């Protein structure tokens, strides 16, 4: 025992066991850092936000206006390894390009077209994290229609949303357009 102590006292550099202890300590510290980061993320003050690894995180910070009743969320975060789906602006026309008559009919058709596009990409409305709406000569009557359509398509898991009033769109008579970004979970 005495010679082992003597050898350890005069050995140059750290003993092999100490090197292993430092590596173990590094792993333990890394785990504590990850647990602390996860706790910090989940403790952000928000309405309806949740963190579930592999799921889309939807956050409505308390410091921002409550947007849930209007049919959207303030922030959506995609999980690692997910497939990003970008849907071009869908508008109120059938497959032949014929526009539906009037704003309400075009809005309804545009949302139906969005469902078709999502399905073609293997996505669902619940996978949508962001929408951008373009609305010609927007007013509060049109706003009510938009809110109803958003809430019908996303009753629970609402995407982030931007609505931009515009004087006109690409095609004469086109009154409404919606584009979307979706996140589809992939098996890893």
């Amino acid at each position: 025992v005495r010679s082992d102590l003597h050898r350890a006292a005069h050995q140059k550099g750290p003993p092999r066991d100490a090197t292993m202890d430092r590596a173990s300590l590094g792993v333990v510290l890394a785990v504590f850092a990850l647990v602390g980061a996860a706790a910090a993320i989940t403790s952000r003050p928000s309405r309806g936000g949740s963190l579930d690894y592999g799921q889309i995180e939807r956050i409505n910070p308390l410091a921002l206006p409550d947007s849930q009743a209007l049919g959207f969320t303030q922030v959506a975060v995609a999980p690692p390894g997910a497939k990003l789906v970008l849907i071009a602006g869908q508008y109120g026309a059938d497959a032949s390009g014929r526009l539906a008559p009037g704003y309400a009919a075009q809005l309804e058709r545009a949302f139906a077209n969005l469902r078709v596009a999502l399905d073609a990409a293997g996505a669902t409305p619940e996978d949508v994290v962001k929408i951008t709406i373009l609305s010609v000569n927007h007013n509060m009557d049109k706003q009510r229609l938009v809110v109803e359509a958003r809430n019908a398509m996303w009753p629970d898991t609402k995407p982030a949303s931007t609505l931009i009033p515009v004087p006109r769109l690409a095609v004469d008579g086109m009154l409404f357009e919606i584009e979307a970004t979706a996140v589809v979970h992939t098996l890893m």
Side-chain angles (χ1 to χ4, degrees):
V1 174
R2 194 168 246 217
S3 69
D4 287 342
L5 289 173
H6 184 268
R7 228 187 343 245
H10 295 330
Q11 181 177 351
K12 292 186 180 179
R16 276 184 277 198
D17 291 76
T19 304
M20 182 68 93
D21 288 342
R22 285 186 193 147
S24 298
L25 179 62
V27 170
V28 169
L29 290 175
V31 168
F32 279 128
L34 288 173
V35 169
I41 289 170
T42 58
S43 68
R44 287 183 287 208
S46 66
R47 297 175 201 90
S50 65
L51 180 65
D52 182 6
Y53 185 79
Q55 299 296 319
I56 298 166
E57 182 182 7
R58 296 167 199 276
I59 307 166
N60 287 290
L62 294 176
L64 297 178
D66 187 358
S67 58
Q68 294 293 301
L70 298 175
F72 68 97
T73 193
Q74 294 287 352
V75 180
V77 181
K83 176 175 78 171
L84 189 64
V85 177
L86 304 170
I87 309 276
Q90 299 301 307
Y91 62 102
D94 61 19
S96 71
R98 188 174 44 247
L99 287 168
Y103 188 88
Q106 285 191 28
L107 180 142
E108 182 179 329
R109 182 62 193 207
F111 271 84
N113 291 346
L114 177 57
R115 283 184 184 275
V116 170
L118 288 167
D119 187 57
T124 66
E126 292 76 25
D127 297 321
V128 174
V129 295
K130 172 73 169 87
I131 57 173
T132 301
I133 293 172
L134 304 173
S135 178
V136 173
N137 299 324
H138 195 72
N139 59 38
M140 290 314 294
D141 290 334
K142 292 177 180 179
Q143 178 67 23
R144 278 189 283 285
L145 293 172
V146 170
V147 168
E148 287 173 13
R150 276 193 309 223
N151 282 330
M153 190 155 187
W154 295 286
D156 300 313
T157 55
K158 300 178 185 319
S161 179
T162 299
L163 188 148
I164 304 169
V166 295
R168 68 167 274 124
L169 290 166
V171 176
D172 287 338
M174 188 172 153
L175 303 173
F176 181 88
E177 185 173 0
I178 180 171
E179 68 176 31
T181 301
V183 173
V184 178
H185 304 288
T186 59
L187 298 176
M188 299 179 97

